[in-house]
Amino acid sequence: MDSGWSRRRFVGALGAAAGASVLSGCGDGGTAGGTRARPSDSTAAGASASAPAAKQPSGPRALYLGTYTSVEGGGEGIGVAAYDPVSGRITGSGTITGVPDPSYLAVHPDGRTLYAVQERERGAVTAVRTSDRKVLGSRATGGAHTCQLWVHPGGRWLLSADYGSGTVAVHPIDASGALGERTALVAHSRPAPGPGQEGPHAHQIVTTPDGGHVLAVDLGTDTVYSYRLDQRAGTLTEVARAHTRPGAGPRHLTFHPGGRYAYLAGEVDDTVSVCSYDPSSGRLTIGRPQSTGAKADTNYPAQFAVTPDGAYAFLANRGDDTIARYAVEADGARLRLLGTVPSGGEFPRQLALSPDGGLLFTANQRSGTVGVFHVDGRDGALRRAGKPFASPVAVCALPL
């Protein structure tokens, strides 16, 4: 498998044919930085009578969709939609244009600002006001092919990871939600790249649940770096490193709500690991590799999602095109594989749970669809909420 940006771009391009088939549903017109209208549409059916009886929120909620704009059949910007939190039905409402290659999205804790990466040679991050979809501006990260970002829980700092250059950056967030000039840029120069990698590839940056540390997952160096963020200066100081086995290619780490354990997807060696986190030192300890449940000859696990109560975890399997289900045991210290279910599309790039944990969304990159599943809180079972929703080269779904 090719490494570096060429590998990511190649994977994105494979979704072009599927994405092209849904472009005819988009409206005409639109200006840079504004919205392009399209007809409201949904391919997701309502919930059946067997839906959980637990109290659910009422009224539509916002759903934002990331894509690649520079591949054939890709989107034209950030997709704007709404979903019904009971039925899972998705309705499209337009596109925020003027943001190239917004492959990953995050929202400010107050919900008033959306942030997107620009996964291009000159990496950047962009802020968008959610009330009127106005683009507030972009800032260069100082690295290449920015692929993931995270808002610090305090709401004052935006953290980002640059896959192409193996760097992580910090930008301040002002009272309006707009971004200031970069305050930190850290390059992953050590250890040496892992087997088959030509350099470092920072794939994720995330704050720990206690807010005390920042973790950066680097696929190229087989390392998770722990940093301390100076919340006055916006600088990063490395405090620890955790190494996977050579060639694991760690991609994405998701914490258990308890804050002491996290689950790491190894993209290259098709494994997952339970990690323990020490809040006092910031040190992460990576456990033994476990099965992704995939049966396909080639599979690249992408991302975990953990239910709000910490009882179940779900993993997107690209290649096997399934979602692996795990029971979480021992207060987060163990994952027990329960099985897999079809993702409802090709190459599930990303998973996200609705805030109440009742719905699971999967962005299926190659089929250009977003799948929706009801999550049974009693046993973690997944039940499809109708047909997938068409979205060009779907690589990120962010339900609010």
Side-chain angles (χ1 to χ4, degrees):
M1 180 181 64
D2 293 337
S3 58
W5 168 243
S6 59
R7 178 177 62 82
R8 293 179 61 82
R9 175 67 78 180
F10 176 70
V11 166
L14 288 174
S21 67
V22 301
L23 284 179
S24 59
C26 298
D28 297 326
T31 57
T35 59
R36 180 181 292 274
R38 68 177 181 181
S40 294
D41 57 351
S42 176
T43 55
S48 70
S50 61
K55 184 178 179 181
Q56 300 284 339
S58 60
R61 297 186 61 89
L63 174 68
Y64 295 99
L65 304 170
T67 185
Y68 287 111
T69 60
S70 61
V71 300
E72 183 181 354
E76 297 183 359
I78 301 169
V80 181
Y83 70 96
D84 184 299
V86 177
S87 69
R89 183 174 186 266
I90 298 176
T91 303
S93 61
T95 304
I96 300 171
T97 59
V99 187
D101 290 323
S103 64
Y104 202 88
L105 310 171
V107 69
H108 193 280
D110 64 15
R112 296 186 298 177
T113 312
L114 177 72
Y115 299 98
V117 304
Q118 293 184 23
E119 193 170 335
R120 293 196 158 189
E121 179 65 39
R122 185 175 184 268
V125 286
T126 300
V128 180
R129 192 163 58 208
T130 57
S131 61
D132 58 3
R133 306 178 186 175
K134 176 180 174 59
V135 176
L136 301 178
S138 302
R139 298 285 184 177
T141 62
H145 310 122
T146 311
C147 67
Q148 199 262 359
L149 77 177
W150 187 273
V151 184
H152 189 270
R156 293 183 54 213
W157 304 101
L158 182 72
L159 313 166
S160 57
D162 301 308
Y163 183 88
S165 54
T167 51
V168 294
V170 182
H171 287 83
I173 300 173
D174 69 20
S176 73
L179 299 170
E181 290 292 344
R182 184 181 65 247
T183 56
L185 180 66
V186 178
H188 296 160
S189 57
R190 292 178 295 134
Q197 303 294 333
E198 82 284 1
H201 295 304
H203 214 304
Q204 183 198 23
I205 190 164
V206 59
T207 56
T208 56
D210 62 351
H213 296 92
V214 173
L215 303 183
V217 180
D218 196 297
L219 182 149
T221 63
D222 294 324
T223 301
V224 180
Y225 301 81
S226 295
Y227 296 98
R228 192 175 296 279
L229 172 68
D230 185 323
Q231 296 191 44
R232 291 186 177 182
T235 55
L236 295 171
T237 301
E238 185 181 324
V239 296
R241 295 179 189 174
H243 305 289
T244 66
R245 64 182 184 181
R251 174 187 175 91
H252 198 282
L253 178 145
T254 303
F255 269 93
H256 183 270
R260 297 301 300 268
Y261 298 97
Y263 312 116
L264 182 65
E267 174 178 330
V268 179
D269 71 351
D270 187 22
T271 64
V272 298
S273 301
V274 177
C275 308
S276 61
Y277 166 67
D278 178 13
S280 61
S281 66
R283 185 173 298 279
L284 196 74
T285 301
I286 301 173
R288 64 177 180 82
Q290 297 178 224
S291 172
T292 63
K295 301 297 192 296
D297 291 338
T298 302
N299 183 65
Y300 307 118
Q303 178 176 348
F304 272 101
V306 183
T307 56
D309 62 3
Y312 298 97
F314 306 102
L315 174 72
N317 278 322
R318 299 171 299 163
D320 198 54
D321 294 342
T322 58
I323 301 170
R325 299 168 48 244
Y326 296 87
V328 180
E329 301 174 335
D331 295 325
R334 287 200 306 267
L335 290 179
R336 178 166 56 88
L337 181 64
L338 299 175
T340 63
V341 298
S343 66
E346 291 184 65
F347 223 62
R349 170 76 170 264
Q350 179 255 359
L351 296 179
L353 286 159
S354 58
D356 69 334
L359 295 172
L360 179 71
F361 297 81
T362 175
N364 300 309
Q365 181 175 0
R366 292 185 183 174
S367 55
T369 57
V370 176
V372 188
F373 295 82
H374 293 287
V375 180
D376 192 321
R378 297 165 297 185
D379 58 7
L382 298 177
R383 180 173 49 81
R384 288 179 61 176
K387 296 180 181 179
F389 175 78
S391 181
V393 189
V395 291
C396 183
L398 177 62
L400 303 186

